[in-house]
Amino acid sequence: LITCEITDKESAGGLAGILYALYPANVIYVTTGTPEYIAILFNTLGVLTLIRTIKGSGPRKKCVRATIGGALLGIGGSFKTFSVVIIIAFVMVLAASLLIRRRENAKVEMMLAGVVCALVMGGYKVSSKIICEATSKHFNMEISTETAVPHFMLIGLNTEGEGQIHVGSLGGLYSGMYLSNGMDHETAKDYAYSALKEDWRANSDNIVPNFLKKMIWAWQDDSIPVLYFLEEVGISPDSPIEAFIYESISVYGAGVVELNYLFLMVWATVCAFSYARSKEINFKYEYIALIIFGFFCVILLSESQSRYKCLIMGYVIIMSSLGIERFKNTAHRIMGSTLGRETYKE
């Protein structure tokens, strides 16, 4: 649906749906129970709603869609706070559209854009707060999307851990400190940032190489969760079919998944170059591109795990389908002009 909103072509939307259905990592991460896919569901609905907010419609519709979109992103953000990146990208696109498309009633447009942004952030805050408070009450412990930020930044930016929670000692030291002080957020935050400053001061030469290592971890083998459950946890297959699936993933999983990523990245790159060369202004496309860019910014600052890229693979697939669609249109145009010249010669 998002692809159809960008191109107004059902063929491109259908292609995006097929590519996402064939994305092999979905099978691995859904079956191992990762929370990212709950976030992906609501984030995708939120992005679709906000893209429709960008489209030309009356002020009332814009406000209603902005509130609903923000609320959906708030639900997604309760599971993974990547929704914040999606909101920031939306605000940037909305601001760019106002600057580029200057109209006579610019002041009214700016006021409406401000109201829309406020409603998106308000919807996010309200729905996220409701879910966190309900979860805190159910488990009888404080849960907040903000308390995890210092821990993730400490893991993501310390030079010995390579962005991994299981590598190095600082992540474990932080967890011990957080639990020993009665889970006081402010004390733990101060400890995390002071430990990070000391680490950077002592290992300044390793800062840039650490960022490169994190990007490698972010695109590592997606079959690792399956191998972890089979080898470390000791889970046994319940049926011959399940055993066959596990064995196939263990033997062929990495190769198939990496080929799939290569295929998608090539076509997403074709899409990016095609839009750049055409100098076409399509704020819905720029919105998707900004979300992908925001993911890489988050990975540079935070923890880096292979499953996190699932949060943006839907958007990468949208760009891949747009790249294939644009390539197909270009090929038809070239073939049509060639046939036209040959017919003219005859």
Side-chain angles (χ1 to χ4, degrees), residues 57 62 94 97-98 101-116:
S57 57
K62 280 184 180 291
L94 210 58
S97 67
L98 288 173
R101 294 177 177 174
R102 293 182 179 179
R103 298 172 181 171
E104 294 180 0
N105 53 346
K107 290 184 179 179
V108 177
E109 291 276 347
M110 288 179 66
M111 289 177 61
L112 178 59
V115 171
V116 165

Side-chain angles (χ1 to χ4, degrees), residues 70-108:
L72 288 167
L73 291 173
I75 299 171
S78 302
F79 294 91
K80 286 293 175 182
T81 50
F82 182 69
S83 306
V84 174
V85 174
I86 296 173
I87 293 176
I88 293 172
F90 175 75
V91 173
M92 292 174 67
V93 167
L94 210 58
S97 67
L98 288 173
L99 292 172
I100 294 172
R101 294 177 177 174
R102 293 182 179 179
R103 298 172 181 171
E104 294 180 0
N105 53 346
K107 290 184 179 179
V108 177

Side-chain angles (χ1 to χ4, degrees), residues 19 42 44-45 57 172 201 221 236 252 269 288 293 311 346:
L19 289 175
F42 289 101
T44 305
L45 291 171
S57 57
R201 193 178 298 117
D221 185 1
S236 301
Y252 304 108
T269 304
I288 299 301
F293 175 74
L311 291 165
E346 290 177 2

